[in-house]
Amino acid sequence: MSKNKKVSKKKSAGREWFDAILFAVVAATLIRGLFIEAYVIPTGSMEKTLLVGDYLFVSKVNYGARTPMTPVAFPFAHHTMPVIGTKAYWEGIKWDYHRLPGLSEVKRNDVVVFNYPMDADEPFLRPVDKRENYIKRCIAVGGDTINIINARVHLNGKPTEVPQFGEKYYYVKSDGTDFNPQAIQDLNIEAQRSTADEYLFNMSASDAEIIKKWSNVKSVNPYIRPVNEYDSQIFPHDPKFKWNADNFGPLIVPKQGWTVKLDSTNYALYERAISIYEGNSIERRGNDIIINGKKADSYTFKMNYYWMMGDNRDNSLDSRYWGFVPDDHIVGKALFVWMSWNTNGTFFDKIRWSRLLGGIH
């Protein structure tokens, strides 16, 4: 054997384990970032379309994967380190927003995971890709005009389809006799007693039809806030717009390339998108609007925006409360439920077997 010939050394067991773990972490990070990611439903804002404890797969491919904007981060942690609670990312390096080609654009009625836009404000003030993940239904896309009339969404002047399993509060009046708690529980209805013979049920339209047939029910009517009743929690949080969660708009959703004429009548509607999401300074000086130090009477949007709402209409913090969702906040499309865990179930009922591998509509 030649003296100059090098003899390859066998890797130690520790080195082999390190290489294997490193490869697994890199591969899983790429899959999670570019293709598909698991997500769990934490709240009831999408009931009964999606239930608390549903585990979903969210596709990054459908709308095109978003390249990292905060690339230096701890693997598999979103914005906070488990247990210790510190930030799981470093903002020393930041990349601009880019999105890879996708299979389609975000469409109306898609169930979409996105970053919570209000995390751009104090006390959170997180980078876009580290903001909290939310899941809602896309009601309107850029260029659409949305209007809510007596709790019914209208899009471009026409009423939209009500989500099949969507919920809303109904006033249920009885003949004075109590309801069977087990019957209410079997329908998975949230019930509150209002008066001696009146209740507030949060339920779907199909459940309301069942309740109407109960022998001790006198009437079932949806709870709807009146027209022109101002709610300060509702976007744009301006008394000029006497809107509430059930009567809202009309409002045009911004679209990339759309030029809006700005004045005192619509300043409150688009100020946040122009300043926070598109990175401009904007203010009012008397009757003038100043953008980046110059007087302006219009603005052309750089991104597409979306209007997101939960199917559980009276228990959903959504676009009615905080406005538009920018394109750079879109994470992916919810595909199907791969596991559903009922924390209130007993033993075999802990798993909602009928929901396994179910599609999302």
Side-chain angles (χ1 to χ4, degrees), residues 35-286:
F35 298 101
I36 199 165
E37 182 176 359
Y39 181 83
V40 62
I41 299 297
T43 70
S45 69
M46 282 294 291
E47 289 187 346
K48 294 179 180 175
T49 305
L50 296 171
L51 305 180
V52 174
D54 279 353
Y55 288 78
L56 321 176
F57 276 132
V58 176
S59 167
K60 306 290 183 71
V61 176
N62 282 66
Y63 307 138
R66 184 180 57 183
T67 58
M69 289 178 266
T70 315
V72 182
F74 191 84
F76 311 122
H78 182 41
H79 54 65
T80 305
M81 291 292 290
V83 183
I84 59 177
T86 58
K87 288 200 305 186
Y89 57 90
W90 180 58
E91 295 184 74
I93 299 176
K94 295 181 181 180
W95 293 345
D96 292 336
Y97 163 64
H98 294 287
R99 190 178 293 277
L100 300 178
L103 301 178
S104 71
E105 302 292 329
V106 179
K107 297 177 181 176
R108 303 179 193 93
N109 287 321
D110 282 358
V111 177
V112 181
V113 173
F114 56 93
N115 297 119
Y116 181 43
M118 298 304 286
D119 274 1
D121 300 345
E122 297 286 359
F124 299 106
L125 197 57
R126 296 179 179 128
V128 171
D129 57 342
K130 298 304 176 184
R131 292 170 190 169
E132 203 68 59
N133 285 330
Y134 266 41
I135 184 166
K136 307 288 181 189
R137 187 178 298 278
C138 178
I139 301 298
V141 299
D144 286 337
T145 298
I146 185 167
N147 200 6
I148 304 175
I149 303 172
N150 293 328
R152 183 72 180 272
V153 174
H154 289 66
L155 208 59
N156 303 320
K158 297 179 180 179
T160 63
E161 183 179 352
V162 177
Q164 180 181 359
F165 302 108
E167 294 185 326
K168 177 155 185 61
Y169 278 121
Y170 289 79
Y171 280 122
V172 179
K173 192 175 181 64
S174 74
D175 60 7
T177 60
D178 291 336
F179 292 114
N180 182 347
Q182 187 59 51
I184 294 174
Q185 184 177 336
D186 289 345
L187 290 172
N188 194 25
I189 291 174
E190 176 191 332
Q192 306 171 35
R193 193 165 198 155
S194 179
T195 64
D197 61 352
E198 196 167 59
Y199 297 75
L200 203 57
F201 283 13
N202 189 34
M203 57 186 175
S204 65
S206 58
D207 288 338
E209 292 302 316
I210 294 173
I211 298 296
K212 285 179 182 178
K213 297 175 183 177
W214 288 2
S215 60
N216 60 338
V217 170
K218 297 179 69 175
S219 63
V220 177
N221 296 299
Y223 167 65
I224 297 176
R225 298 160 187 83
V227 176
N228 291 328
E229 180 183 84
Y230 171 62
D231 184 345
S232 61
Q233 298 183 76
I234 295 297
F235 180 82
H237 319 289
D238 187 325
K240 291 180 182 177
F241 299 90
K242 299 185 185 303
W243 297 347
N244 57 62
D246 293 325
N247 283 284
F248 180 100
L251 173 65
I252 300 175
V253 180
K255 180 179 182 179
Q256 184 180 25
W258 176 55
T259 299
V260 61
K261 293 291 184 182
L262 291 173
D263 54 38
S264 59
T265 65
N266 64 2
Y267 177 85
L269 300 176
Y270 301 111
E271 180 271 337
R272 181 178 177 86
I274 294 170
S275 60
I276 302 297
Y277 305 142
E278 304 223 342
N280 302 284
S281 65
I282 181 171
E283 61 177 318
R284 289 182 63 181
R285 296 178 190 169

Side-chain angles (χ1 to χ4, degrees), residues 290-305:
I290 310 299
I291 299 179
N292 298 327
K294 298 179 180 179
K295 184 178 176 180
D297 60 5
S298 65
Y299 179 80
T300 301
F301 286 94
K302 303 171 187 174
M303 284 191 290
N304 285 315
Y305 289 79

